Amino acid sequence: MNPNYEILFEPVKIGPVTAPNRFYQVPHASGMTEANPRVRAAFRATKAEGGWGVVTTGAVSTHPSSDDSPLPFARLWDDNDIRSHALTCDAIHQHDALAAVELWHGGAAVMNRSSRIAPYSPSGIPWAATHVGFMGQLRPRVMDQQDIRDVIGWQVAAARRARSAGFDIVYIYAGMGYLGYEFLLDDYNHRTDAYGGSVENRVRFVRELIESTKDAVGQDCGVALRISLEELRGKASDNFASQAHEVVSLLSDLPDLWDVKMDSSPTDCGASRFRPEGAHEPVIDFVRTVTDKPVVGVGRFTSPDTMVSQIKRGVLDLIGGARPSIADPFLPNKIREGREDEIRECIDCNICISSWHDGVPVRCTQNATAGEEWRRGWHPEKVSPAASNDNILIVGGGPAGLEAALIAARRGYQVTLAEKAPEFGGRLRFETSLPGLATWGRVRDYRLYALQKMGNVNLYSNSEMGVDEVLGLGHQRVAIATGARWTQALYSSLEIPKGELKGPGVYTPDDLAAGKVPRGPILVYDFDNYYLGGAIAESLAGQGMSVTYATPAGHASAWTIMTNEQPFVHQNLHKLGVDITTQALLDSFEAGLATLSNIFTGELSTLEVSSVVIVGLRLPADDLYQSLCDCEAQWQGAGIESVERIGDAFAAGALVHAVHSGHAWSRGLDNPDAENYLRDIPIAEFPPGPVIN
């Protein structure tokens, strides 16, 4: 280990328990819930195995009045839930790490769609979200004194269940718009009793949650407070630098651990397109000066030098990781063993966060094994040895091809990777040149660096492969990873691609990647709805061109609401002077005039532009695969046992899907059951009955 990093492996006392090092996997959603207790246990245990000293759950509801359905959340409502969480605690403890639980009451920020209990709130102020997934039509109740006592009682009961399950650290959650936060912030809290008005009064509810939890389990468990400070730091205080300073001062030594964060998901989990590593520091940097208790925070930390800096400068005591712990569960061990150059660094694309919005187990672009540890038996650092002497040929050096080559080579196969371009990376070669996307190059760089060090890998760039080349090379297994192509398809009122717009001045992202430069003014027409259309509009506008962005959706880059990027996409386009037209169909483009129609009303409008860039339908670029299929009779004579498509050449999608596809293909070599996976089921040892308060 680099001696500069020894400080990262010092133990830290958290109340009655001690973290074995400073690596702390802070609470984050996994999408696994009590429906998948074994999947969840293996997912969290892998991080403990990888060296994270504390491993924490995501949000765990204390009562049915905190019901986030259909979004995935965990529960500690009864004995079945205790047994479910005990699987995770036992698995974490096997690797000598501490297990922490984020007990949570969502207050007015949850809609209780399943329980149908009117949401709880300090003053009846709802969270009027604009994201459909968070919208609800049941407005919250104003809590009375009995409601306050009930919520505190549910917290205590859940804390005792958590202790029974084996958790070492128990949380009180006062952040991200949830109930504790709602009492702290005067935007939500309009009360005139002892729980409202002054900051000292508004802190009372959180104080009582902490005190009651410590009374119940504090002799056995550390008690942590997770708190959002962004909005409070921006509010003036009569006697402190801000209301954030006042709140922390009033509670300074009450919790055993401070877990500090931002207020909204887009700022708390900002994507690398818009937020650098360590972006939280300007908001949370004061906490360590106010309390003697340890402080943990996040900042998409992947650099051990940044981690050490945060500790030595007194910003944090523990290095929090959510996304980096998903991308590389073995990040701590790699630093401990002097292998920091092997860290699979998070690219901060926030696909993991979109998993929660989708209501499914977590996915990761960099780590295809995330969520697959139990159900497929995939380990992020271990693979089964090769089961044959087959030689592997992979055609295409993009994300899928690179991942397939790396996993096959680690299994021990002899691998040849051929790429027709001068450089490896596939679509990343162009996309990482766009504003904010350079960090995504880690997908290419991590894999290429590892492959270049392996003796059983041959890498060939500038090597375009045709049928004769594939047949003549003598490989038994062939994977076609030739990517996908962007089309000039338009979009119909049925919300499907239709026809194509041909003619001069019409471009696709492939044209821009090839070096073609559209003449301004430019219309970027986007119905792909993810990052690329917005990034291209940013790039062109940044070059001084006049750009209009149009989409049939209601927002620019509409799907990026799932990855916390949408607010910043709009902000950046606005700063660059890009006009945004939503609900628009592109009907035609000729003689310098683009005709648009409203997708709902059909109202027509025109736009004078010289060029149109269509970011819409992608289709597999699988000509080589189809040609090889046409001559399948020649495979046996060439020694070929199989030819398969992977990644975008099989089904066009996001980077996460391409990497997963390449990974699955290589794991499946000589494994006839590779496509099968275990189905998890809930633990139900006790019969159904009423919720125990």
Side-chain angles (χ1 to χ4, degrees), residues 154-171:
W154 299 330
Q155 166 76 23
V156 167
R160 288 178 174 143
R161 292 186 190 112
R163 180 179 58 188
S164 297
F167 285 106
D168 307 288
I169 299 172
V170 175
Y171 267 75

Side-chain angles (χ1 to χ4, degrees), residues 103-301:
L103 297 183
W104 157 80
H105 197 290
V110 296
M111 300 304 153
N112 294 341
R113 296 174 177 92
S114 292
S115 70
R116 302 191 70 177
I117 297 172
Y120 284 59
S121 74
S123 305
I125 306 300
W127 182 34
T130 57
H131 184 337
V132 172
F134 297 110
M135 290 181 181
Q137 298 307 317
L138 179 61
R139 297 297 178 251
R141 72 172 79 184
V142 178
M143 293 170 67
D144 59 23
Q145 297 289 330
Q146 184 59 51
D147 291 330
I148 290 173
R149 288 191 291 271
D150 286 344
V151 171
I152 294 172
W154 299 330
Q155 166 76 23
V156 167
R160 288 178 174 143
R161 292 186 190 112
R163 180 179 58 188
S164 297
F167 285 106
D168 307 288
I169 299 172
V170 175
Y171 267 75
I172 290 90
Y173 199 175
M176 299 287 285
Y178 298 128
L179 187 57
Y181 174 91
E182 292 166 17
F183 271 87
L184 294 177
L185 207 68
D186 55 12
D187 301 72
Y188 286 96
N189 187 343
H190 302 170
R191 300 177 72 95
T192 58
D193 62 4
Y195 293 91
S198 68
V199 172
E200 186 172 5
N201 278 1
R202 300 202 307 270
V203 152
R204 190 182 309 276
F205 176 69
V206 174
R207 174 185 291 278
E208 291 178 357
L209 284 170
I210 299 170
E211 291 172 341
S212 297
T213 303
K214 294 196 79 170
D215 287 344
V217 301
Q219 288 186 333
D220 305 308
C221 303
V223 175
L225 174 63
R226 194 170 212 209
I227 187 169
S228 293
L229 297 173
E230 188 177 11
E231 290 292 330
L232 287 167
R233 182 133 194 198
K235 290 179 176 291
S237 169
D238 292 337
N239 301 308
F240 294 83
S242 72
Q243 289 189 19
H245 290 74
E246 186 172 1
V247 167
V248 176
S249 297
L250 288 169
L251 299 173
S252 60
D253 294 324
L254 196 54
D256 297 317
L257 173 74
W258 286 85
D259 184 336
V260 292
K261 66 200 309 280
M262 301 298 104
D263 295 49
S264 69
S265 194
T267 56
D268 189 59
C269 308
S272 60
R273 287 177 67 187
F274 308 104
R275 291 290 185 272
E277 185 178 19
H280 287 202
E281 183 174 339
V283 173
I284 59 88
D285 58 356
F286 73 94
V287 177
R288 192 64 190 82
T289 68
V290 177
T291 180
D292 292 329
K293 299 301 178 70
V295 178
V296 63
V298 297
R300 192 173 47 85
F301 299 121

Side-chain angles (χ1 to χ4, degrees), residues 71-88:
L71 297 170
F73 65 99
R75 303 162 178 83
L76 259 173
W77 295 351
D78 58 28
D79 289 343
N80 285 321
D81 296 337
I82 293 174
R83 297 288 297 161
S84 176
H85 284 286
L87 288 181
T88 296

